Amino acid sequence: MKASLNFFTNFELRKILKKESKIMDRIYLDNAATTPLSEEVIDAMVDVMKTNYGNPSSTHSLGQEAKILIENVRRQVADYLHVTPAEIIFTSCGTESNNMIIKSCVNHLGVERIITSPMEHKCVAETVLDMKKRRGVEVVYLRPDQKGDFDLIQLEEIIKSSDKKTLVTLMHANNEIGNLLDLKKVAEMCKANKVLFHSDTVQSMAHMEMDFSQIPLDFASCSAHKFHGPKGSGFAFIRKASGLKVIITGGPQERSLRAGTENVCGIVGLGKALEISLNNMDQYSSHIKEIKKYTKERLLSEVDGVKFNGRSAEEETSLYTVLSVLLPFKDPMIGLKLDMKGIAVSQGSACSSGATKPSMVMMMILDEDEIENCTPLRISFSHLTTKEEIDTLVDALQEIAVSFNIEKTNVEHR
Ligand code: PLP
């Protein structure tokens, strides 16, 4: 077979890995990083790729059919959020949505001050820093307590402390520890004080009900691959008459707010994934909550000294898909060790999991002793996760924990 030097298909890759026995039954517990595509989403996308290849901007019927598909999903998203379709702008991902909103707030709405937190995802944190460096925006950080929560009275004091045009950007569900922000309370506070409010809702969209007719926030973001949709497809919610303007210039697509030929099959995939999530929300969430409870109980009984970070072990105040664990030993190689056993988890968020130093979120909520001597691990679930998979994970962690105790005893005896 003549193999290409720089491109091989997934099929070829799997053949190579199989030869080297690198493929085993995998246990996927990193659903906050991304989720597997559901079969129905794949089918819907393949169908669009095969038949609806028209450009949605074309006036002929092939183009107009593609346009109808997009507008259907826009209406579906708008219904979910209880907003109007005109307030939904399709983008390539959560990162793009957050960039677009924050940058346009500064560039077009005259925002001079941003209130944010050190717990934000990099795509918000780095964009805010960029606006500070390049546009001289003042940045004020709201510090979390050891549980990862914010003092909302302090937030209001900070808001009131300046007359500068202000944007508050605080995420809804933290991607590392799952803490949930009281969106309604913060949105109402921002509205009452006449400041703009953006929330990175990437981790919570499609996992819970969202009624933006009752939550007066200005901007929010979404990424389809966090709920079994495709990568490269997301949207920004932009409240009507906000005045936000285009960042990617070109054609008049997406109501002239985001130029570029639309990713029709990606948008359809997002719509299908959202439909499945919403139709099964009760069933999925109760299954995942049960799995999370089971994981907590098994870890507490099998791994001596294990703790849970932030609010992630609490049902009401954390996102049910995320459990952030603190293991009572230091093992920077733990992700690799689990991977070698076929278990995929994360040592932080996916974006920083290559790094060995603790993430900013962990630096904020752990004390020095915990940073020095413990290992954080993020376990994130989906409706596909089973108790048997959790048993395998807990057994593996217990084995690693025991090996640490033995090593420690050996060192002490030397
Ligand atoms: N915001 C949060 C909270 C996330 O967890 C992620 C992805 O991990 C993003 C934004 C970025 O989303 P995307 O991967 O679609 O760019």
Side-chain angles (χ1 to χ4, degrees):
M1 189 183 70
K2 190 167 171 277
S4 153
L5 279 181
N6 49 15
F7 176 80
F8 44 79
T9 63
N10 188 31
F11 176 71
E12 284 164 347
L13 172 66
R14 292 184 77 80
K15 235 166 88 181
I16 297 166
L17 291 176
K18 208 163 190 173
K19 233 192 210 157
E20 295 176 11
S21 338
K22 284 195 179 140
I23 287 197
M24 54 186 120
D25 283 340
R26 293 207 172 117
I27 294 178
Y28 188 70
L29 295 168
D30 198 13
N31 291 280
T34 195
T35 50
L37 275 169
S38 72
E39 287 292 332
E40 288 145 289
V41 171
I42 297 172
D43 290 347
M45 290 175 70
V46 168
D47 190 37
V48 170
M49 281 189 251
K50 284 181 177 167
T51 46
N52 301 99
Y53 50 85
N55 185 325
S57 297
S58 299
T59 48
H60 51 65
S61 44
L62 259 176
Q64 288 312 292
E65 278 164 25
K67 177 98 186 138
I68 289 168
L69 290 177
I70 294 177
E71 294 315 312
N72 267 345
V73 179
R74 200 187 308 279
R75 169 151 296 286
Q76 180 198 352
V77 171
D79 287 349
Y80 164 53
L81 298 178
H82 302 262
V83 299
T84 62
E87 294 171 301
I88 305 302
I89 301 300
F90 291 115
T91 63
S92 66
C93 57
T95 298
E96 186 194 328
S97 304
N98 288 332
N99 263 262
M100 164 189 189
I101 292 163
I102 295 168
K103 287 180 178 163
S104 181
C105 277
V106 174
N107 292 344
H108 307 120
L109 303 187
V111 161
E112 302 164 287
R113 182 176 71 138
I114 298 178
I115 302 171
T116 185
S117 90
M119 311 285 278
E120 299 301 306
H121 187 271
K122 262 187 178 297
C123 68
V124 168
E126 292 297 321
T127 308
V128 168
L129 273 182
D130 188 50
M131 291 296 93
K132 179 181 173 177
K133 274 189 221 137
R134 292 203 289 150
R135 304 296 309 246
V137 170
E138 180 190 342
V139 181
V140 186
Y141 290 96
L142 187 63
R143 288 182 80 82
D145 62 18
Q146 283 218 310
K147 278 273 169 203
D149 288 335
F150 302 110
D151 179 348
L152 297 188
I153 296 174
Q154 191 194 5
L155 172 62
E156 188 153 32
E157 281 167 10
I158 298 173
I159 290 174
K160 286 180 189 282
S161 68
S162 167
D163 289 336
K164 283 184 178 171
K165 176 123 188 178
T166 296
L167 168 72
V168 173
T169 174
L170 292 172
M171 71 206 308
H172 184 204
N174 187 277
N175 51 305
E176 282 186 58
I177 55 173
N179 280 33
L180 286 170
L181 183 77
D182 188 338
L183 262 195
K184 188 168 163 65
K185 204 166 178 179
V186 176
E188 282 169 354
M189 179 192 292
C190 289
K191 191 171 181 198
N193 287 286
K194 299 191 171 53
V195 297
L196 294 164
F197 178 41
H198 159 242
S199 186
D200 173 350
T201 46
V202 163
Q203 287 290 342
S204 52
M205 280 273 183
H207 292 290
M208 49 182 70
E209 297 293 347
M210 296 269 181
D211 185 352
F212 289 173
S213 71
Q214 300 303 311
I215 302 175
L217 87 177
D218 298 283
F219 313 108
S221 48
C222 172
S223 179
H225 72 95
K226 305 292 184 184
F227 50 95
H228 307 277
K231 292 166 186 63
S233 179
F235 67 79
F237 162 72
I238 297 173
R239 181 81 67 191
K240 209 174 359 213
S242 67
L244 223 67
K245 291 210 174 79
V246 61
I247 295 287
I248 298 178
T249 45
Q253 291 92 349
E254 293 302 295
R255 292 170 170 77
S256 292
L257 271 171
R258 199 259 187 188
T261 302
E262 298 88 338
N263 173 8
V264 186
C265 82
I267 293 170
V268 168
L270 184 154
K272 192 72 197 171
L274 182 64
E275 178 191 281
I276 297 169
S277 291
L278 300 185
N279 287 344
N280 297 284
M281 193 177 277
D282 289 347
Q283 195 195 325
Y284 286 0
S285 64
S286 63
H287 171 78
I288 299 170
K289 282 176 188 169
E290 174 65 31
I291 290 281
K292 181 167 167 174
K293 189 163 166 266
Y294 182 72
T295 312
K296 270 186 314 193
E297 287 168 0
R298 289 244 33 222
L299 281 171
L300 285 170
S301 83
E302 304 300 328
V303 182
D304 266 357
V306 72
K307 287 194 232 166
F308 302 105
N309 300 313
R311 296 255 168 226
S312 82
E314 294 165 32
E315 193 168 324
E316 291 305 310
T317 45
S318 80
L319 186 66
Y320 57 87
T321 51
V322 174
L323 181 64
S324 176
V325 177
L326 194 65
L327 297 165
F329 50 86
K330 185 82 176 169
D331 188 359
M333 304 303 282
I334 194 141
L336 194 64
K337 286 181 188 170
L338 291 170
D339 190 39
M340 284 165 72
K341 291 175 187 286
I343 304 169
V345 289
S346 169
Q347 282 177 262
S349 69
C351 308
S352 53
S353 57
T356 45
K357 69 177 204 282
S359 69
M360 183 57 95
V361 171
M362 290 303 151
M363 300 278 270
M364 285 289 133
I365 61 168
L366 299 182
D367 61 34
E368 262 178 48
D369 184 51
E370 288 169 329
I371 289 178
E372 276 301 304
N373 300 309
C374 299
T375 310
L377 201 68
R378 180 184 70 181
I379 306 169
S380 48
F381 317 97
S382 83
H383 63 281
L384 302 168
T385 312
T386 65
K387 287 189 177 170
E388 291 70 34
E389 290 177 327
I390 299 302
D391 288 340
T392 309
L393 168 76
V394 174
D395 289 350
L397 287 176
Q398 197 205 25
E399 204 180 294
I400 295 169
V402 167
S403 79
F404 264 86
N405 279 336
I406 293 166
E407 272 174 28
K408 213 170 136 197
T409 321
N410 285 347
V411 171
E412 277 161 8
H413 282 262
R414 244 179 251 154

mmCIF file of all heavy atoms in Angstrom, residues 186-219:
data_model
loop_
_atom_site.group_PDB
_atom_site.id
_atom_site.type_symbol
_atom_site.label_atom_id
_atom_site.label_comp_id
_atom_site.label_asym_id
_atom_site.label_seq_id
_atom_site.Cartn_x
_atom_site.Cartn_y
_atom_site.Cartn_z
ATOM 1 N N VAL A 186 -26.234 37.548 39.422
ATOM 2 C CA VAL A 186 -25.175 38.412 38.876
ATOM 3 C C VAL A 186 -25.724 39.247 37.715
ATOM 4 O O VAL A 186 -25.441 40.441 37.600
ATOM 5 C CB VAL A 186 -23.945 37.574 38.439
ATOM 6 C CG1 VAL A 186 -22.888 38.450 37.784
ATOM 7 C CG2 VAL A 186 -23.354 36.839 39.637
ATOM 8 N N ALA A 187 -26.544 38.627 36.877
ATOM 9 C CA ALA A 187 -27.107 39.361 35.734
ATOM 10 C C ALA A 187 -27.985 40.516 36.220
ATOM 11 O O ALA A 187 -27.920 41.629 35.679
ATOM 12 C CB ALA A 187 -27.909 38.408 34.855
ATOM 13 N N GLU A 188 -28.799 40.244 37.240
ATOM 14 C CA GLU A 188 -29.674 41.315 37.764
ATOM 15 C C GLU A 188 -28.855 42.428 38.401
ATOM 16 O O GLU A 188 -29.160 43.613 38.247
ATOM 17 C CB GLU A 188 -30.685 40.720 38.753
ATOM 18 C CG GLU A 188 -31.818 40.032 38.004
ATOM 19 C CD GLU A 188 -32.727 39.187 38.884
ATOM 20 O OE1 GLU A 188 -32.429 39.028 40.082
ATOM 21 O OE2 GLU A 188 -33.740 38.679 38.339
ATOM 22 N N MET A 189 -27.787 42.030 39.091
ATOM 23 C CA MET A 189 -26.906 43.036 39.710
ATOM 24 C C MET A 189 -26.263 43.913 38.634
ATOM 25 O O MET A 189 -26.206 45.144 38.754
ATOM 26 C CB MET A 189 -25.813 42.306 40.507
ATOM 27 C CG MET A 189 -24.821 43.202 41.174
ATOM 28 S SD MET A 189 -23.404 42.241 41.761
ATOM 29 C CE MET A 189 -24.126 41.291 43.048
ATOM 30 N N CYS A 190 -25.796 43.280 37.569
ATOM 31 C CA CYS A 190 -25.138 44.037 36.497
ATOM 32 C C CYS A 190 -26.134 44.985 35.825
ATOM 33 O O CYS A 190 -25.818 46.145 35.549
ATOM 34 C CB CYS A 190 -24.526 43.088 35.471
ATOM 35 S SG CYS A 190 -23.084 42.243 36.111
ATOM 36 N N LYS A 191 -27.333 44.473 35.601
ATOM 37 C CA LYS A 191 -28.351 45.300 34.946
ATOM 38 C C LYS A 191 -28.703 46.504 35.829
ATOM 39 O O LYS A 191 -28.769 47.649 35.345
ATOM 40 C CB LYS A 191 -29.596 44.451 34.675
ATOM 41 C CG LYS A 191 -30.568 45.156 33.780
ATOM 42 C CD LYS A 191 -31.680 44.281 33.316
ATOM 43 C CE LYS A 191 -32.570 45.126 32.411
ATOM 44 N NZ LYS A 191 -33.855 44.547 32.234
ATOM 45 N N ALA A 192 -28.891 46.240 37.117
ATOM 46 C CA ALA A 192 -29.270 47.320 38.039
ATOM 47 C C ALA A 192 -28.188 48.396 38.101
ATOM 48 O O ALA A 192 -28.475 49.578 38.294
ATOM 49 C CB ALA A 192 -29.516 46.745 39.425
ATOM 50 N N ASN A 193 -26.925 47.963 37.917
ATOM 51 C CA ASN A 193 -25.816 48.913 37.998
ATOM 52 C C ASN A 193 -25.349 49.402 36.622
ATOM 53 O O ASN A 193 -24.286 50.033 36.500
ATOM 54 C CB ASN A 193 -24.643 48.280 38.753
ATOM 55 C CG ASN A 193 -24.925 48.177 40.237
ATOM 56 O OD1 ASN A 193 -24.893 49.166 40.964
ATOM 57 N ND2 ASN A 193 -25.240 46.970 40.696
ATOM 58 N N LYS A 194 -26.127 49.039 35.598
ATOM 59 C CA LYS A 194 -25.858 49.480 34.219
ATOM 60 C C LYS A 194 -24.461 49.101 33.705
ATOM 61 O O LYS A 194 -23.763 49.894 33.077
ATOM 62 C CB LYS A 194 -26.066 50.997 34.088
ATOM 63 C CG LYS A 194 -27.494 51.428 34.398
ATOM 64 C CD LYS A 194 -27.713 52.869 33.989
ATOM 65 C CE LYS A 194 -29.148 53.290 34.063
ATOM 66 N NZ LYS A 194 -29.850 53.056 35.323
ATOM 67 N N VAL A 195 -24.031 47.874 34.057
ATOM 68 C CA VAL A 195 -22.788 47.376 33.447
ATOM 69 C C VAL A 195 -23.146 46.151 32.598
ATOM 70 O O VAL A 195 -24.168 45.502 32.829
ATOM 71 C CB VAL A 195 -21.699 47.000 34.494
ATOM 72 C CG1 VAL A 195 -21.263 48.213 35.286
ATOM 73 C CG2 VAL A 195 -22.154 45.884 35.421
ATOM 74 N N LEU A 196 -22.306 45.844 31.619
ATOM 75 C CA LEU A 196 -22.573 44.704 30.738
ATOM 76 C C LEU A 196 -22.162 43.413 31.428
ATOM 77 O O LEU A 196 -21.202 43.397 32.213
ATOM 78 C CB LEU A 196 -21.779 44.857 29.433
ATOM 79 C CG LEU A 196 -22.182 46.038 28.547
ATOM 80 C CD1 LEU A 196 -21.098 46.314 27.499
ATOM 81 C CD2 LEU A 196 -23.531 45.744 27.862
ATOM 82 N N PHE A 197 -22.860 42.331 31.111
ATOM 83 C CA PHE A 197 -22.515 41.038 31.716
ATOM 84 C C PHE A 197 -22.418 39.955 30.646
ATOM 85 O O PHE A 197 -23.365 39.686 29.912
ATOM 86 C CB PHE A 197 -23.556 40.652 32.771
ATOM 87 C CG PHE A 197 -23.290 39.301 33.409
ATOM 88 C CD1 PHE A 197 -22.003 38.900 33.756
ATOM 89 C CD2 PHE A 197 -24.339 38.420 33.672
ATOM 90 C CE1 PHE A 197 -21.752 37.659 34.343
ATOM 91 C CE2 PHE A 197 -24.112 37.171 34.266
ATOM 92 C CZ PHE A 197 -22.815 36.800 34.594
ATOM 93 N N HIS A 198 -21.228 39.333 30.584
ATOM 94 C CA HIS A 198 -20.998 38.191 29.697
ATOM 95 C C HIS A 198 -20.688 36.977 30.557
ATOM 96 O O HIS A 198 -19.933 37.073 31.523
ATOM 97 C CB HIS A 198 -19.795 38.481 28.775
ATOM 98 C CG HIS A 198 -19.161 37.240 28.206
ATOM 99 N ND1 HIS A 198 -17.850 36.879 28.472
ATOM 100 C CD2 HIS A 198 -19.647 36.270 27.385
ATOM 101 C CE1 HIS A 198 -17.565 35.752 27.835
ATOM 102 N NE2 HIS A 198 -18.633 35.366 27.176
ATOM 103 N N SER A 199 -21.284 35.848 30.208
ATOM 104 C CA SER A 199 -20.925 34.616 30.908
ATOM 105 C C SER A 199 -20.519 33.547 29.906
ATOM 106 O O SER A 199 -21.216 33.291 28.927
ATOM 107 C CB SER A 199 -22.103 34.126 31.757
ATOM 108 O OG SER A 199 -21.660 33.026 32.517
ATOM 109 N N ASP A 200 -19.371 32.924 30.196
ATOM 110 C CA ASP A 200 -18.910 31.784 29.416
ATOM 111 C C ASP A 200 -19.746 30.585 29.892
ATOM 112 O O ASP A 200 -19.518 30.041 30.966
ATOM 113 C CB ASP A 200 -17.417 31.585 29.691
ATOM 114 C CG ASP A 200 -16.850 30.325 29.056
ATOM 115 O OD1 ASP A 200 -17.634 29.500 28.558
ATOM 116 O OD2 ASP A 200 -15.607 30.165 29.079
ATOM 117 N N THR A 201 -20.720 30.212 29.077
ATOM 118 C CA THR A 201 -21.649 29.139 29.458
ATOM 119 C C THR A 201 -21.338 27.834 28.716
ATOM 120 O O THR A 201 -22.212 26.968 28.558
ATOM 121 C CB THR A 201 -23.105 29.579 29.153
ATOM 122 O OG1 THR A 201 -23.139 30.159 27.837
ATOM 123 C CG2 THR A 201 -23.621 30.594 30.143
ATOM 124 N N VAL A 202 -20.078 27.711 28.268
ATOM 125 C CA VAL A 202 -19.697 26.564 27.434
ATOM 126 C C VAL A 202 -19.935 25.222 28.144
ATOM 127 O O VAL A 202 -20.386 24.257 27.530
ATOM 128 C CB VAL A 202 -18.220 26.705 26.981
ATOM 129 C CG1 VAL A 202 -17.645 25.392 26.476
ATOM 130 C CG2 VAL A 202 -18.116 27.756 25.883
ATOM 131 N N GLN A 203 -19.641 25.155 29.440
ATOM 132 C CA GLN A 203 -19.782 23.855 30.119
ATOM 133 C C GLN A 203 -21.222 23.531 30.509
ATOM 134 O O GLN A 203 -21.549 22.370 30.727
ATOM 135 C CB GLN A 203 -18.886 23.815 31.377
ATOM 136 C CG GLN A 203 -17.402 23.688 31.083
ATOM 137 C CD GLN A 203 -17.001 22.319 30.531
ATOM 138 O OE1 GLN A 203 -17.721 21.336 30.653
ATOM 139 N NE2 GLN A 203 -15.841 22.255 29.893
ATOM 140 N N SER A 204 -22.063 24.534 30.614
ATOM 141 C CA SER A 204 -23.413 24.262 31.122
ATOM 142 C C SER A 204 -24.482 24.195 30.027
ATOM 143 O O SER A 204 -25.518 23.559 30.208
ATOM 144 C CB SER A 204 -23.804 25.311 32.161
ATOM 145 O OG SER A 204 -23.608 26.609 31.647
ATOM 146 N N MET A 205 -24.226 24.822 28.873
ATOM 147 C CA MET A 205 -25.222 24.816 27.784
ATOM 148 C C MET A 205 -25.579 23.382 27.406
ATOM 149 O O MET A 205 -24.688 22.534 27.277
ATOM 150 C CB MET A 205 -24.645 25.484 26.526
ATOM 151 C CG MET A 205 -24.684 26.979 26.567
ATOM 152 S SD MET A 205 -26.246 27.628 25.959
ATOM 153 C CE MET A 205 -25.880 29.381 26.059
ATOM 154 N N ALA A 206 -26.857 23.145 27.249
ATOM 155 C CA ALA A 206 -27.417 21.841 26.854
ATOM 156 C C ALA A 206 -27.363 20.805 27.977
ATOM 157 O O ALA A 206 -27.831 19.687 27.799
ATOM 158 C CB ALA A 206 -26.745 21.279 25.596
ATOM 159 N N HIS A 207 -26.775 21.170 29.114
ATOM 160 C CA HIS A 207 -26.772 20.251 30.257
ATOM 161 C C HIS A 207 -27.815 20.667 31.290
ATOM 162 O O HIS A 207 -28.091 19.941 32.225
ATOM 163 C CB HIS A 207 -25.390 20.199 30.914
ATOM 164 C CG HIS A 207 -24.352 19.561 30.034
ATOM 165 N ND1 HIS A 207 -24.356 18.223 29.745
ATOM 166 C CD2 HIS A 207 -23.303 20.081 29.354
ATOM 167 C CE1 HIS A 207 -23.353 17.938 28.935
ATOM 168 N NE2 HIS A 207 -22.697 19.065 28.673
ATOM 169 N N MET A 208 -28.321 21.889 31.152
ATOM 170 C CA MET A 208 -29.375 22.353 32.054
ATOM 171 C C MET A 208 -30.289 23.341 31.333
ATOM 172 O O MET A 208 -29.941 23.830 30.268
ATOM 173 C CB MET A 208 -28.776 22.959 33.333
ATOM 174 C CG MET A 208 -27.671 23.972 33.130
ATOM 175 S SD MET A 208 -27.009 24.585 34.691
ATOM 176 C CE MET A 208 -26.148 23.175 35.298
ATOM 177 N N GLU A 209 -31.440 23.579 31.947
ATOM 178 C CA GLU A 209 -32.366 24.541 31.350
ATOM 179 C C GLU A 209 -31.751 25.936 31.409
ATOM 180 O O GLU A 209 -31.068 26.276 32.375
ATOM 181 C CB GLU A 209 -33.689 24.558 32.138
ATOM 182 C CG GLU A 209 -34.454 23.250 32.122
ATOM 183 C CD GLU A 209 -34.994 22.869 30.743
ATOM 184 O OE1 GLU A 209 -34.993 23.721 29.834
ATOM 185 O OE2 GLU A 209 -35.395 21.703 30.582
ATOM 186 N N MET A 210 -32.000 26.730 30.363
ATOM 187 C CA MET A 210 -31.491 28.107 30.336
ATOM 188 C C MET A 210 -32.640 29.001 29.875
ATOM 189 O O MET A 210 -33.136 28.815 28.755
ATOM 190 C CB MET A 210 -30.371 28.259 29.308
ATOM 191 C CG MET A 210 -29.133 27.470 29.589
ATOM 192 S SD MET A 210 -27.977 28.436 30.537
ATOM 193 C CE MET A 210 -26.660 27.264 30.665
ATOM 194 N N ASP A 211 -33.027 29.920 30.705
ATOM 195 C CA ASP A 211 -34.093 30.835 30.308
ATOM 196 C C ASP A 211 -33.591 32.277 30.381
ATOM 197 O O ASP A 211 -33.642 32.912 31.431
ATOM 198 C CB ASP A 211 -35.321 30.626 31.214
ATOM 199 C CG ASP A 211 -36.501 31.475 30.756
ATOM 200 O OD1 ASP A 211 -36.314 32.315 29.855
ATOM 201 O OD2 ASP A 211 -37.602 31.284 31.299
ATOM 202 N N PHE A 212 -33.103 32.747 29.244
ATOM 203 C CA PHE A 212 -32.514 34.094 29.222
ATOM 204 C C PHE A 212 -33.587 35.186 29.168
ATOM 205 O O PHE A 212 -33.263 36.364 29.140
ATOM 206 C CB PHE A 212 -31.532 34.241 28.051
ATOM 207 C CG PHE A 212 -30.245 33.451 28.231
ATOM 208 C CD1 PHE A 212 -29.309 33.370 27.199
ATOM 209 C CD2 PHE A 212 -29.954 32.800 29.421
ATOM 210 C CE1 PHE A 212 -28.120 32.651 27.349
ATOM 211 C CE2 PHE A 212 -28.769 32.073 29.580
ATOM 212 C CZ PHE A 212 -27.859 31.994 28.539
ATOM 213 N N SER A 213 -34.876 34.773 29.156
ATOM 214 C CA SER A 213 -35.914 35.808 29.277
ATOM 215 C C SER A 213 -36.039 36.195 30.763
ATOM 216 O O SER A 213 -36.555 37.251 31.099
ATOM 217 C CB SER A 213 -37.253 35.323 28.731
ATOM 218 O OG SER A 213 -37.803 34.346 29.588
ATOM 219 N N GLN A 214 -35.543 35.304 31.631
ATOM 220 C CA GLN A 214 -35.593 35.569 33.076
ATOM 221 C C GLN A 214 -34.230 35.961 33.631
ATOM 222 O O GLN A 214 -34.116 36.396 34.774
ATOM 223 C CB GLN A 214 -36.075 34.312 33.822
ATOM 224 C CG GLN A 214 -37.454 33.840 33.420
ATOM 225 C CD GLN A 214 -38.505 34.921 33.602
ATOM 226 O OE1 GLN A 214 -38.575 35.546 34.656
ATOM 227 N NE2 GLN A 214 -39.277 35.167 32.563
ATOM 228 N N ILE A 215 -33.188 35.744 32.855
ATOM 229 C CA ILE A 215 -31.811 36.060 33.303
ATOM 230 C C ILE A 215 -31.294 37.180 32.395
ATOM 231 O O ILE A 215 -30.961 36.928 31.234
ATOM 232 C CB ILE A 215 -30.895 34.815 33.186
ATOM 233 C CG1 ILE A 215 -31.464 33.663 34.025
ATOM 234 C CG2 ILE A 215 -29.466 35.137 33.598
ATOM 235 C CD1 ILE A 215 -30.703 32.352 33.871
ATOM 236 N N PRO A 216 -31.233 38.403 32.897
ATOM 237 C CA PRO A 216 -30.928 39.510 31.978
ATOM 238 C C PRO A 216 -29.430 39.682 31.668
ATOM 239 O O PRO A 216 -28.877 40.774 31.784
ATOM 240 C CB PRO A 216 -31.483 40.720 32.730
ATOM 241 C CG PRO A 216 -31.379 40.351 34.168
ATOM 242 C CD PRO A 216 -31.517 38.859 34.264
ATOM 243 N N LEU A 217 -28.772 38.592 31.296
ATOM 244 C CA LEU A 217 -27.362 38.746 30.897
ATOM 245 C C LEU A 217 -27.302 39.265 29.455
ATOM 246 O O LEU A 217 -28.278 39.147 28.712
ATOM 247 C CB LEU A 217 -26.582 37.443 31.090
ATOM 248 C CG LEU A 217 -26.537 36.368 30.009
ATOM 249 C CD1 LEU A 217 -25.639 35.243 30.444
ATOM 250 C CD2 LEU A 217 -27.890 35.839 29.641
ATOM 251 N N ASP A 218 -26.161 39.828 29.078
ATOM 252 C CA ASP A 218 -26.050 40.417 27.735
ATOM 253 C C ASP A 218 -25.481 39.447 26.712
ATOM 254 O O ASP A 218 -25.879 39.464 25.557
ATOM 255 C CB ASP A 218 -25.160 41.664 27.789
ATOM 256 C CG ASP A 218 -25.759 42.720 28.687
ATOM 257 O OD1 ASP A 218 -26.708 43.379 28.246
ATOM 258 O OD2 ASP A 218 -25.316 42.856 29.844
ATOM 259 N N PHE A 219 -24.515 38.618 27.173
ATOM 260 C CA PHE A 219 -23.810 37.755 26.219
ATOM 261 C C PHE A 219 -23.507 36.400 26.856
ATOM 262 O O PHE A 219 -23.211 36.334 28.051
ATOM 263 C CB PHE A 219 -22.467 38.385 25.810
ATOM 264 C CG PHE A 219 -22.553 39.839 25.448
ATOM 265 C CD1 PHE A 219 -22.036 40.809 26.303
ATOM 266 C CD2 PHE A 219 -23.151 40.243 24.264
ATOM 267 C CE1 PHE A 219 -22.103 42.164 25.980
ATOM 268 C CE2 PHE A 219 -23.230 41.595 23.933
ATOM 269 C CZ PHE A 219 -22.701 42.555 24.791
#
